[in-house]
Amino acid sequence: MEINWTEIENKWRSKWIENKDFETNPNKKPKKFITVAYPYPNSPQHIGHGRTYTLADVHARFYRMQGYNVLFPMAFHYTGTPILGMAKRVEANDKELIDNLKNLYGVPEESIKEFVEPIKIADYFHEEIKTGMIEMGYSIDWRREFTTIDPVYSKFIEWQINTLRAKNLIIQGSHPVGWCPKDQNPVSQHDTLGDVEPDFTEYILIKFKFDDYIIPTATLRPETIFGVVNLWVNPEIIYKKITVDDEKWIVSQECAYKLEFLDKKIAYDGEIKGSELIGKSVTVPHREESIVMLPASFVESGTGTGMVMSVPAHAPFDYQALEDIKKDQPEPELASKVNQIIPISIIETEGYGKIPAKEAVEKFGVADQNDPKLEEATKEVYGKEFYGGKLKSNTEKFSGIKVAYAKDIIKEWLIENKHADILLELTNTPVKCRCGAECVVKVLNNQWFLNYGDKDWKELATKCFDSMNILPQEIRSEFNYVIGWLRERACARQHGLGTKLPWDEGWIVESLSDSVIYMAYYTISKFVNNKTITADNLSKEFFDYIFLEKGDANKISEITKMSIDTINEIKKEFQYFYPVDSRHSGRDLVPNHLTFFVLNHVAIFPESNWPKEIVVNGSVLMNGSKMSKSMGNIIPLRKAIQDYGADPIRLAIIISAELLQDADFNMESVSGIRNKLESLYHECSRLKAEKIENLEAEDRWILSKTQSMISQVTSAIEKMRLREALHDILFSFESDLSWYMKRVNAKNRENISGILHQINSTRVAMLSPFAPHIAEEMWEKLGHSGFASTSKWPEFSQEKIDAIAIQAEELLKSTIDDIINILKVTKITPQKITIYTTDSFKSKVYCSILEKVMAGQTNMGVVMKELIANPDTSDVKKNPNFVQKTIKDILSEPTEIRQTKLESKEFDEKSFLANELTKLGKEEFSVEIQVFSESDSDIYDPKGKARHARPFKPAILIE
Ligand SMILES: [Zn+2]
């Protein structure tokens, strides 16, 4: 019978809403505050987005069943330029975008027409995403929903920004930022196509003199200026003559364009061909000395200035280019200049001779200057010299300085003497803005920055990270790394939606700065939505009082026109729910949002309100590939829910990977999960809560196994190892159940409905955080009143584990396996099977050996000696082989099994096997099975097999 998923899911969703199950208010219970990064409503959710929210929802539902008062809220991030950019593209009738909206996302044409207004886009997708979240069954308290352009939220952000500024953590100055020249706005990860963070590096421009002009060359190694012997110019490039402030420079066109954004006045004066420069001389900046300009094809116009200074002793490219020219046999005048060039060695490094570049070129077998192996050779020389090199005496006053320190010292010296300048360049080009334009680095003046470079601030954040739970553990070092390199970050933009800087209204707080402490706002947004708090009269004092416990309620009541009781109720709400117990997010937000979240919390809140935990998950692949519009493999979440049901999708997302791995989603796994859930559902429909009486061996065993499952699942979820937990509930336990059914069927038992009912009630309760809708339906079918989602999480109880039952069942299984193996090897059709269990002496010795092994003694000789020393076991000296095999038996088992064996000392193998194996064996092998103890007087043992019996390893005779 097919299940109508839509019907079931709708039914339970409306019951949850009716029951206000997820509306959370402060109460006497302990609380958990779980949050996820709120979405940008500029497109509908696809399956990939579903992962983080689903993981967080399982987490919230798990804690709720564990008896916590769980707050799991949601809001929508309208701030920033992505929505603006999209509106512009709609206005410009961008065909690709409109096709995607229509065909991929199913947006009605009337709505698309309205999308020229950015806010209509946000509102449309806001509703779309929210509906999807409801349809996924997320247990969200929707009374607390807000958007980041709500007036009260803006007041909150003003307070946040003012508070940071008062602590001198917001500064104004000139700093470089990633920049969209078309939008005239800074760009960060959220603003770029493919969500890449613009990354840039600083080159030192060394100024060589050429008549009235300056020819600047870009380098990352200013110390090598002492080893320059020529310049490289690409004869194919047409260079620009430009005026930079009051100097005349010759650079490539690309370089001139980059300089325009670096706070310099640029005027274009003319052009000069690279070939015209070849053979002419320039003067090095720091001493009166001429060097020649030579042709090189490895020089690119897009990198640096399009000219390169040549240090052949230490730069493999330069060394190779010189070799290439010599081979090319240039005209005599140039050839004589080339022949005069001798590499100047300026760095001494252990393991290198005089000319490291030459050694590296030879080692890597470089063919010419266009050989990609030169990159590797360069990396190797640079690395060794940087960490192990020292400057030689020909570097004048810098002689003896380690290269690692020399870079900054020489840079300062060059700039002070006007011999050098700075060029900032993107290292991960091309970075494209969402508007399509290629981004550059710009030095912004009078820009507002969060001073994330501040040492004290970093220290405080590190302290918070150190005390935090970070899941999975292996991501912790990434946070340390981010904190290490973080520097000033622009926090305001001149365009976009959001909150204006309170002290400089030409600026808007950007999207990665107004989304860092908003979790606190969830504790008051309920009062905003019911109109208790309005934007009028909200002042700094109000927020200080609520969030920082500063100030006087009387005064705040006067200012805000709210009653003291109301103000204190709001404050209590915050104090109850804060701090954040768990923050969930995708891995891509580690280097920005998640780190900023911690930085801003430690800056604003006292330590008692610092966040407790971060949970990071990997992304979602579709059939092994990255999801993207161009791949055409994006499945909108709501469409998938319609086709397959929310629960199968939730489970397929979870079961395909552990936390940090990329989850590989595919429709076959959704169908597989769906079938699994359907069969569990049908099973639950059949079971009745009958009384459980007269437990048999297999009953005690399966009930013990159920306890183990509870323990494993609970501890897995606590570590957010959800894949493992779900696998245990749905699949691993299934093999135990089928063994149980085999045992029960062999005995023709009919009184097991009560036991199966109890077991499946436990499973369904544990399934409920993962597959909340169908679990409710199963729960109802099992005859329980109330909701599975609000039922108590099954509790593990050590007393309910029956060690003997577990041991006995393991013995039974392994004996049957042994019989099957013997039959396989001997290929006989059995007429009769005889089993011999061990005598009581061997059991005694076994226990004694087990105790010794558990205490750490595994040395055969020592164990033997100890056994012989004891009169009870001294007879074992006649059978050393037994001792050796027993130690091996024990060591081949996991510690838990050894532990249960230690606990099940008085287990009687013979009577158990006589009772249980005979029936089951007959079913399995269609023959009579007889069981003897090796010490039985009436024993049937024609082949003398009995003496081989060992505890838990009976001897077997098949005839
Ligand atoms: Zn742009």
Side-chain angles (χ1 to χ4, degrees), residues 179-185 187 191 432-439:
W179 180 262
C180 170
K182 194 170 160 201
D183 295 334
Q184 294 283 303
N185 228 358
V187 286
D191 310 304
K432 292 235 164 119
C433 175
R434 281 184 193 257
C435 75
E438 190 164 338
C439 300

Side-chain angles (χ1 to χ4, degrees), residues 471-744:
L471 294 177
Q473 258 303 328
E474 64 237 58
I475 202 91
R476 183 179 286 279
S477 59
E478 279 186 36
F479 285 107
N480 295 336
Y481 175 74
V482 174
I483 289 282
W485 65 248
L486 210 60
R487 51 195 168 188
E488 299 86 359
R489 189 192 159 85
C491 65
R493 300 283 166 87
Q494 283 171 315
H495 306 277
L497 302 172
T499 303
K500 286 179 177 161
L501 273 191
W503 61 85
D504 193 350
E505 299 228 323
W507 294 90
I508 291 156
V509 181
E510 64 89 43
S511 61
L512 278 161
S513 304
D514 82 342
S515 58
V516 282
I517 61 159
Y518 69 90
M519 311 81 205
Y521 189 81
Y522 282 127
T523 68
I524 69 163
S525 58
K526 185 179 95 179
F527 301 98
V528 176
N529 292 342
N530 72 14
K531 309 272 190 295
T532 307
I533 302 175
T534 59
D536 322 324
N537 310 321
L538 273 193
S539 63
K540 170 186 182 304
E541 287 81 0
F542 170 77
F543 293 111
D544 276 349
Y545 185 74
I546 302 292
F547 297 131
L548 303 177
E549 270 198 278
K550 277 188 199 162
D552 168 37
N554 288 303
K555 208 179 136 201
I556 290 146
S557 171
E558 250 170 62
I559 303 173
T560 61
K561 316 268 187 299
M562 275 186 257
S563 77
I564 292 179
D565 283 352
T566 305
I567 293 168
N568 282 327
E569 192 193 342
I570 296 168
K571 187 172 97 172
K572 255 196 208 145
E573 184 107 3
F574 170 74
Q575 288 179 332
Y576 176 80
F577 284 116
Y578 238 60
V580 171
D581 292 289
S582 193
R583 176 75 175 158
H584 283 252
S585 157
R587 188 176 194 162
D588 54 327
L589 300 191
V590 167
N592 43 67
H593 167 73
L594 285 172
T595 306
F596 302 159
F597 155 70
V598 169
L599 278 160
N600 283 271
H601 269 84
V602 301
I604 292 173
F605 295 102
E607 198 170 335
S608 56
N609 276 330
W610 291 1
K612 297 277 181 218
E613 180 180 83
I614 283 178
V615 181
V616 178
N617 64 269
S619 60
V620 178
L621 304 176
M622 179 63 71
N623 295 317
S625 348
K626 207 177 160 195
M627 269 189 245
S628 73
K629 277 177 220 149
S630 56
M631 295 278 295
N633 62 356
I634 288 188
I635 301 181
L637 190 61
R638 291 195 62 199
K639 167 125 186 31
I641 298 170
Q642 256 170 35
D643 293 350
Y644 296 92
D647 287 344
I649 288 165
R650 290 172 64 114
L651 299 201
I653 290 172
I654 290 165
I655 209 145
S656 63
E658 280 306 353
L659 210 46
L660 208 52
Q661 299 168 323
D662 288 338
D664 190 8
F665 191 86
N666 59 69
M667 284 309 166
E668 294 90 85
S669 86
V670 180
S671 311
I673 295 260
R674 224 163 94 129
N675 293 340
K676 181 89 217 155
L677 291 174
E678 293 192 357
S679 75
L680 185 58
Y681 166 83
H682 292 311
E683 163 127 22
C684 290
S685 315
R686 287 191 293 268
L687 297 171
K688 294 280 163 307
E690 282 160 11
K691 210 167 164 211
I692 303 171
E693 290 173 311
N694 306 328
L695 290 182
E696 301 205 17
E698 62 272 19
D699 301 337
R700 287 194 295 273
W701 174 77
I702 192 74
L703 290 172
S704 295
K705 280 291 190 183
T706 309
Q707 287 302 315
S708 310
M709 173 179 61
I710 294 173
S711 159
Q712 280 162 19
V713 170
T714 308
S715 85
I717 301 182
E718 277 163 358
K719 295 182 209 108
M720 284 306 283
R721 298 188 59 85
L722 299 189
R723 177 186 180 277
E724 183 184 313
L726 186 56
H727 207 272
D728 279 345
I729 300 168
L730 281 188
F731 300 101
S732 312
F733 190 67
E734 201 82 337
S735 65
D736 290 338
L737 267 180
S738 65
W739 173 257
Y740 177 70
M741 292 314 293
K742 196 185 229 180
R743 295 271 280 127
V744 162

